[in-house]
Amino acid sequence: MSDTRRRVKVYTLNEDRQWDDRGTGHVSSTYVERLKGMALLVRAESDGSLLLESKISPNTAYQKQQDTLIVWSEAENYDLALSFQEKAGCDEIWEKICQVQGKDPAVEITQELIDESEEERFEEMPETSHLVDLPPCELNKLEEIADLVTSVLSSPIRREKLALALMNEGYIKKLLQLFQVCEDLENTEGLHHLYEIIRGVLFLNKAALFEVMFSDDCIMDIVGCLEYDPSLVQPKKHREFLTKTAKFKEVIPITDSELRQKIHQTYRVQYIQDIILPTPSVFEENFLSTLTSFIFFNKVEIVSMLQEDEKFLSEVFAQLTDEATDDGKRRELVNFFKEFCAFSQTLQPQNRDAFFKTLANLGILPALEIVMGMDDLQVRAAATDIFSYLVEFSPSMVREFVMQEAQQSDDDILLINVVIEQMICDADPELGGAVQLLGLLRTLIDPENMLAPTNKTEKTEFLSFFYKYCMQVLTAPLLANTAAEKTGKDAVVGSNKISAICPDNFQTAQLLALILELLTFCVEHHTYHIKNYIMNKDLLRRVLVLMNSKHTFLALCALRFMRRIIGLKDEFYNRYIIKGNLFEPVINALLDNGTRYNLLNSAIIELFEFIKVEDIKLLTAHIIDNFYKTLESIEYVQTFKGLNTRYEQEKDRQNQRLNSVPSILRNNRYRRDARVLEDDEEMWFNEDDEEEGEAVVPPVEKSKADDDFSGNYGKFIEAKKAVKESEDKENLPKRTSSGSLKFTFSHSAGAANGTNSTKSKSAAAPTSPASTNSSSSKTANSPAPVMTKQAGLVGLVDYPDDEEEDEEEEASPRKRPRLGS
C-alpha cells in the first residue's frame, strides 16, 4: 500500500459539472468473483475502506488525459476519474484496462460514445469506419476544413474520429503556421475560417488536443485565431491584453519553473473560457466540460505545489507583517493571499482543511489583525475577503484564536474588536463592507456551529468572552446615539428623560439598523448572556428611543428587537418591561403614525395581537391598567378590545376563585405549614389552567408566581400580601414598583390622568383593592364584604407582624399623589 505509483484520488462529476473528491487511496486491478470479471478497486489510505469498486466493462469508454488521469462514465450521468500521483501508475492501470478491452495501450480512448440509433446509421455508411480524411493543410483548403470541423460537432463518433486524425497528423501546429501566414498577408477570409476551425476543435472536448493547443508555444496563436470572429467588425486584441495589460506579479519570486508555467497556462485558459469563447447554448453546454476539468485540475495542482513550499509561504507572511514593507508591496501580498484562498475553493473538504491549517500555523490570523487595521481601503477589503474564507471554513478556528489572544495579549486590541470597528467605521455610504462583516460576526457568535464534540465548552467560553470584551464595542454607537439626559434621581427606571437624539444621518441610521439586527439575533440565540446585558445596561429603553427616528426602517428595527424579547415570553423580561413602562414609546409611535396604514402600524398592532393570542397575563394587565383609555378608540382592529376582554375575564376568574373559598377558611384563623400552603396554591393555579385551557408561562418559583398575580389584579393582592411579605423578601413591594411607574402621555391626557377616577386609581395604585369599588377612606375604616373574605384568607398565615404591616399598608393613601402622573 505504500507504493506511491498506485496512489490516486477518486473524483465524481456532480450535477453542476464540478469534480467532487471522494478520497485518496491505492488502486489495483483484481478479478472480483461477485462481478464476474476484472475490476478497479481503490482502498482508502486512511482506514483501508473501499472507495471504489468498478468492473472494467468491455463496452465502457475509458479516456486517458494529461498523463495522470483516467476518466470514464458508468451511467448516463455518473462520470468517474482517477487522478494518479505518478505517470507510471497511470500507465500501468491503463494497460490493464486496454488488456481487458483488447485495445492498444497507445490509444487515449478505448471506445466510441454513441447511442444505438447512431450506431445503426453509421453501419449503413461504411466509409466512416476509418479515420476522417483531412484535407491538405493549405490556404485554399481552409473553407473546406472549417466545414468539416463544424459538421462533425453533432455526432459523437465523428468527433472522436476527427480528434484522432488531428492528433495523428500533427494538424494543429500546421494550422497555426497558416494563421501566421494569413495574418502577415492580412487575409481576412482565411482568418475567419481559422476562427471557425479552432473554435470547433475546442468543442471537440478532447484533453489530448488541449495539451497541444495550450502548450507554451501554441497558446498565444490559439488566442490569435479566436480574435477574428466573423461577427465582429474589428478583431479583438486579446493577445495585446494578455502580453501587455495583464501582468504576472510575483510577490515573492517563484523558483519552480513548472509552477510558473502552470500558473501562466491556467490564467490564459481561464481567459479563453470566460472571455473569448461565447457563452455556450443549451445544446453546447457539455462541449467544454473537459476544458472545465482541465482548469480545475490545474488549480488543484497549483495550490498543492504552493502549499508544500513552506519557505515560500513563510517569506510571504514575514513580509506581510513587517512594518518596513511599503504599502504597494503589502497590497500585492494581500491580493496574492486573496487569490490563493479563492483557488483553494476548488479543493475538496479534506484538502481545504489541510490548506487552512497550513495558513493558520503560519499565522494568517495575527497577520489579518494587523492588515485590517490599516488605512488602505483596498488592503482592508482584500483582508476582509480572506477573513470571510477563514470564518466560512472554520468558525471554531477563529474563535479559538481570539480567546487565546485575550489571555495572552497585553494590549486591548482583539481581532473581533478590529472587525467590529471596521464595520462601524465603514466609509461606504451603502455600508457594503459593514454588511459583509455583520454576516461574519453572526457566524462567529451563532451557537448552532458551536456544537463541536471536540470542545463541548466552546459555546459557554466564547459567549462569556464575547460579552466581556466585545459587546460594549458593538453597542457603543447605539448607546452614543441614544444618550440620556440624566439629572440625579431623574434617571430612575420609568422616567421619560431620554432625549430624542435620533440620528437623522442616513448612514448612521443604517449602521444602527445593522447593530440592532445582530442584537436581535443575540436575543433569539443567547438567552442568558444577552438577558444580563439588557438588564444591566437598560438596553431596551435605549433602543426604543429610536422609535422616534424619521427613518421608518430604523424604528422598525427597534420594534423588532422588542418583539423578539416579548416573543420569548420570559418572566424576567416581562417584569423589566413593566417596571420601565417600556410600552409607552411604542404606543406613542402608534399614535404619532396617525391614520397611516403602513408597515409600522401593522408591526405595532401585531405586537399587541401576539400578547393577546398568547395570553401573557402580566403584560395584558399592565397595558390595560395604564394605556387602555388611550387605545380603546382604535376600533379598526379588535386587538385592544380583545386585550381588555382577556383582562376582565381574568379579574372575574380571580373573584370567582376567592368567592369559592370555604367559609371555614374565611371565619377561622389558624397557622398552617408554609410548604402545605405552597402545594395547595400550585394545585389551585393548575386547576385554573386546566379549566380555562389557556397557556401560562411557567413561574420561576412559586412565590414569584403569586407575586405576578397579586401585583396585577386588585382584589387578589390583599389575599396574598401577608404571605408575600413574610416569604419573599427579595421581591420589591408592589407599592414601590408601582410608585416608580411615572409615565406621561403627550397625546391624550385621559391616558395618564383620565376623567374616570376609578381607572386612574387602578393604574396608579393597583395594590389598593378598594380603588376598584370604594374610596380610600372606606378602605381604611370599613372593608366591603369581599374584603372580609380576603381578610379570612390572609389569616391562613397568622404571623405576629401581620396586623402591624396591614395597618401600615392601609394607612398609606397619603403617598398616592406621588404615584399618580
Side-chain angles (χ1 to χ4, degrees):
M1 284 296 202
S2 61
D3 185 2
T4 58
R5 290 182 306 163
R6 296 290 185 94
R7 190 167 183 263
V8 296
K9 282 186 179 295
V10 181
Y11 291 93
T12 58
L13 197 64
N14 62 28
E15 294 178 356
D16 298 324
R17 309 299 296 172
Q18 297 293 321
W19 289 101
D20 290 336
D21 188 344
R22 296 302 182 190
T24 303
H26 291 80
V27 64
S28 61
S29 58
T30 312
Y31 182 84
V32 178
E33 182 65 33
R34 181 172 54 83
L35 298 176
K36 305 294 184 187
M38 295 292 289
L40 296 175
L41 302 179
V42 179
R43 294 196 176 275
E45 65 179 1
S46 56
D47 56 9
S49 61
L50 197 62
L51 295 177
L52 175 69
E53 183 182 63
S54 173
K55 182 181 178 181
I56 303 174
S57 169
N59 300 318
T60 299
Y62 292 86
Q63 294 182 59
K64 190 165 79 161
Q65 301 177 6
Q66 301 182 35
D67 292 333
T68 56
L69 279 174
I70 297 177
V71 182
W72 72 98
S73 299
E74 291 210 339
E76 186 175 346
N77 292 312
Y78 189 63
D79 293 350
L80 288 158
L82 293 180
S83 176
F84 289 78
Q85 181 170 329
E86 296 184 12
K87 180 179 182 297
C90 183
D91 291 340
E92 287 179 16
I93 295 300
W94 183 249
E95 285 180 15
K96 297 284 187 183
I97 293 170
C98 291
Q99 186 180 340
V100 172
Q101 294 198 341
K103 301 291 183 181
D104 181 357
V107 301
E108 297 210 345
I109 182 165
T110 62
Q111 300 288 333
E112 309 298 349
L113 299 170
I114 57 173
D115 57 29
E116 291 183 6
S117 61
E118 203 167 40
E119 196 171 8
E120 292 169 4
R121 180 152 47 90
F122 282 104
E123 281 176 357
E124 299 168 3
M125 302 170 63
E127 67 274 10
T128 62
S129 60
H130 53 79
L131 291 180
V132 173
D133 288 328
L134 288 168
C137 194
E138 300 171 357
L139 281 178
N140 58 352
K141 297 291 185 180
L142 285 176
E143 184 175 0
E144 187 180 340
I145 299 170
D147 291 341
L148 173 64
V149 172
T150 306
S151 67
V152 304
L153 293 179
S154 60
S155 165
I157 189 169
R158 297 189 68 197
R159 285 208 306 268
E160 297 291 345
K161 292 182 181 296
L162 177 60
L164 286 172
L166 290 170
M167 283 298 298
N168 291 342
E169 299 181 23
Y171 211 77
I172 301 293
K173 291 190 177 182
K174 295 178 184 177
L175 287 170
L176 296 180
Q177 289 171 1
L178 281 183
F179 165 71
Q180 293 172 359
V181 172
C182 287
E183 206 167 34
D184 290 340
L185 298 174
E186 297 184 357
N187 183 345
T188 305
E189 185 180 357
L191 292 170
H192 287 167
H193 290 318
L194 280 165
Y195 169 87
E196 297 291 350
I197 293 167
I198 295 300
R199 181 176 177 274
V201 172
L202 286 171
F203 281 145
L204 291 178
N205 207 25
K206 296 301 165 193
L209 292 175
F210 291 162
E211 292 287 351
V212 176
M213 297 170 76
F214 300 147
S215 61
D216 284 350
D217 54 345
C218 292
I219 190 165
M220 295 310 290
D221 285 336
I222 293 292
V223 172
C225 291
L226 294 172
E227 289 180 353
Y228 292 94
D229 185 345
S231 63
L232 300 175
V233 178
Q234 290 291 330
K236 295 286 188 179
K237 296 182 179 180
H238 297 302
R239 284 172 295 176
E240 183 179 328
F241 175 83
L242 288 172
T243 54
K244 295 180 181 178
T245 308
K247 296 195 180 300
F248 178 58
K249 294 180 180 178
E250 293 181 83
V251 289
I252 303 292
I254 296 174
T255 55
D256 188 336
S257 59
E258 184 185 355
L259 176 57
R260 288 172 60 91
Q261 188 272 333
K262 279 284 179 193
I263 293 171
H264 285 304
Q265 184 188 60
T266 304
Y267 177 77
R268 290 164 180 168
V269 176
Q270 187 89 59
Y271 184 85
I272 290 172
Q273 185 185 43
D274 294 345
I275 306 299
I276 300 179
L277 291 178
T279 305
S281 68
V282 175
F283 304 103
E284 298 174 331
E285 61 182 4
N286 291 328
F287 279 7
L288 294 174
S289 59
T290 306
L291 184 62
T292 304
S293 301
F294 184 93
I295 296 169
F296 171 82
F297 288 115
N298 264 16
K299 286 183 177 179
V300 170
E301 201 169 339
I302 290 168
V303 173
S304 300
M305 292 171 79
L306 283 172
Q307 191 177 333
E308 289 165 8
D309 190 348
E310 290 192 11
K311 184 179 178 183
F312 174 83
L313 289 178
S314 300
E315 181 64 23
V316 173
F317 273 105
Q319 291 201 22
L320 186 63
T321 54
D322 188 353
E323 292 182 3
T325 305
D326 64 79
D327 293 344
K329 179 73 169 178
R330 184 174 280 109
R331 189 181 303 122
E332 290 180 4
L333 289 163
V334 174
N335 284 330
F336 163 77
F337 266 117
K338 177 183 172 183
E339 187 108 5
F340 194 26
C341 290
F343 265 44
S344 74
Q345 300 307 293
T346 61
L347 299 174
Q348 294 306 308
Q350 58 266 47
N351 304 93
R352 258 206 318 272
D353 189 24
F355 170 77
F356 282 114
K357 281 180 179 174
T358 301
L359 292 187
N361 292 337
L362 288 167
I364 183 71
L365 288 168
L368 282 179
E369 186 174 326
I370 295 170
V371 173
M372 290 183 78
M374 293 183 174
D375 296 332
D376 191 315
L377 288 176
Q378 289 185 351
V379 169
R380 288 213 308 259
T384 300
D385 289 337
I386 297 168
F387 185 64
S388 70
Y389 285 124
L390 294 169
V391 171
E392 287 165 17
F393 173 72
S394 178
S396 293
M397 180 179 75
V398 178
R399 285 193 286 262
E400 184 180 355
F401 167 76
V402 295
M403 285 192 288
Q404 289 176 354
E405 183 186 29
Q407 295 169 0
Q408 298 169 2
S409 176
D410 295 331
D411 56 26
D412 295 330
I413 300 175
L414 299 173
L415 177 59
I416 291 196
N417 284 346
V418 171
V419 172
I420 294 172
E421 286 161 10
Q422 291 304 316
M423 183 183 89
I424 292 171
C425 301
D426 188 5
D428 179 8
E430 297 299 323
L431 295 184
V435 172
Q436 182 184 8
L437 291 169
L438 173 77
L440 299 177
L441 285 171
R442 187 190 317 222
T443 301
L444 287 173
I445 65 174
D446 186 355
E448 292 298 320
N449 57 43
M450 294 185 198
L451 304 178
T454 54
N455 186 4
K456 295 181 180 177
T457 61
E458 180 185 17
K459 177 178 176 181
T460 305
E461 290 178 357
F462 181 75
L463 290 182
S464 298
F465 158 82
F466 182 78
Y467 280 85
K468 180 178 179 181
Y469 292 102
C470 310
M471 187 54 106
Q472 70 270 20
V473 182
L474 178 66
T475 55
L478 177 65
L479 298 176
N481 283 280
T482 56
E485 294 175 349
K486 296 174 183 158
T487 54
K489 297 277 185 176
D490 282 344
V492 296
V493 176
S495 67
N496 195 30
K497 296 290 184 183
I498 293 182
S499 61
I501 311 180
C502 292
D504 289 333
N505 180 289
F506 179 73
Q507 188 170 347
T508 305
Q510 274 191 309
L511 174 63
L512 295 183
L514 290 178
I515 294 171
L516 279 175
E517 185 180 335
L518 197 59
L519 290 175
T520 304
F521 177 84
C522 293
V523 167
E524 290 184 277
H525 295 88
H526 304 165
T527 49
Y528 167 72
H529 294 87
I530 190 67
K531 185 191 298 182
N532 281 348
Y533 192 81
I534 289 173
M535 301 289 188
N536 291 335
K537 298 290 185 182
D538 197 12
L539 190 62
L540 180 56
R541 174 182 306 283
R542 304 293 284 273
V543 168
L544 289 176
V545 170
L546 301 176
M547 294 293 294
N548 299 322
S549 173
K550 73 173 186 179
H551 301 288
T552 307
F553 72 87
L554 184 56
L556 285 166
C557 287
L559 183 64
R560 189 183 305 118
F561 181 70
M562 185 178 189
R563 172 65 176 80
R564 289 292 182 275
I565 289 175
I566 291 174
L568 296 175
K569 297 188 284 189
D570 184 286
E571 185 178 355
F572 288 100
Y573 277 134
N574 292 345
R575 287 176 175 174
Y576 164 66
I577 291 169
I578 290 171
K579 189 175 182 182
N581 195 27
L582 298 180
F583 276 109
E584 182 183 350
V586 178
I587 292 172
N588 285 347
L590 177 65
L591 298 174
D592 279 338
N593 194 57
T595 58
R596 290 189 290 276
Y597 181 58
N598 53 18
L599 186 56
L600 182 62
N601 175 276
S602 298
I604 294 174
I605 289 174
E606 191 277 335
L607 173 70
F608 290 105
E609 185 70 22
F610 175 82
I611 295 169
K612 183 190 81 172
V613 171
E614 295 297 323
D615 195 18
I616 305 176
K617 294 181 174 63
L618 208 60
L619 298 183
T620 301
H622 172 71
I623 293 164
I624 298 302
D625 280 341
N626 293 279
F627 306 111
Y628 187 61
K629 278 295 177 184
T630 301
L631 299 173
E632 65 179 343
S633 61
I634 298 177
E635 296 182 344
Y636 56 88
V637 289
Q638 297 302 306
T639 300
F640 302 108
K641 287 189 176 180
L643 275 172
N644 188 49
T645 303
R646 290 268 190 188
Y647 174 72
E648 296 297 340
Q649 287 173 347
E650 185 62 25
K651 282 181 65 176
D652 293 343
R653 193 176 301 126
Q654 296 303 331
N655 286 336
Q656 290 171 11
R657 292 295 177 198
L658 291 173
N659 289 333
S660 66
V661 176
S663 60
I664 187 172
L665 297 181
R666 295 199 301 269
N667 298 329
N668 295 286
R669 304 179 71 180
Y670 57 91
R671 187 183 306 276
R672 291 178 61 184
D673 190 339
R675 287 174 297 176
V676 176
L677 176 64
E678 289 183 354
D679 291 343
D680 288 350
E681 287 173 343
E682 183 175 8
M683 183 167 60
W684 187 12
F685 287 119
N686 287 342
E687 289 173 357
D688 179 31
D689 294 341
E690 290 170 8
E691 288 181 18
E692 300 302 326
E694 296 170 347
V696 179
V697 178
V700 175
E701 56 187 82
K702 294 183 181 69
S703 62
K704 290 181 180 177
D706 295 343
D707 186 32
D708 289 347
F709 280 96
S710 65
N712 292 284
Y713 302 105
K715 295 188 177 183
F716 193 56
I717 181 63
E718 288 297 337
K720 292 294 171 190
K721 189 177 298 297
V723 177
K724 300 315 302 169
E725 290 174 351
S726 58
E727 289 182 356
D728 198 8
K729 292 294 184 184
E730 75 274 11
N731 289 329
L732 291 173
K734 293 302 154 190
R735 182 172 65 248
T736 305
S737 62
S738 299
S740 66
L741 294 175
K742 302 180 186 176
F743 65 90
T744 57
F745 268 105
S746 57
H747 307 280
S748 170
N753 301 319
T755 55
N756 187 326
S757 62
T758 301
K759 206 44 107 169
S760 174
K761 290 175 183 176
S762 176
T767 58
S768 176
S771 64
T772 59
N773 55 19
S774 63
S775 67
S776 60
S777 61
K778 289 180 182 178
T779 305
N781 299 320
S782 56
V786 173
M787 289 304 297
T788 305
K789 296 176 185 178
Q790 293 174 355
L793 188 59
V794 170
L796 291 176
V797 184
D798 188 14
Y799 295 126
D801 299 334
D802 282 358
E803 281 87 12
E804 295 176 11
E805 291 182 358
D806 288 347
E807 288 172 7
E808 289 176 10
E809 299 254 349
E810 291 175 353
S812 63
R814 66 179 179 275
K815 297 181 182 179
R816 283 183 193 154
R818 183 172 62 82
L819 304 178
S821 46

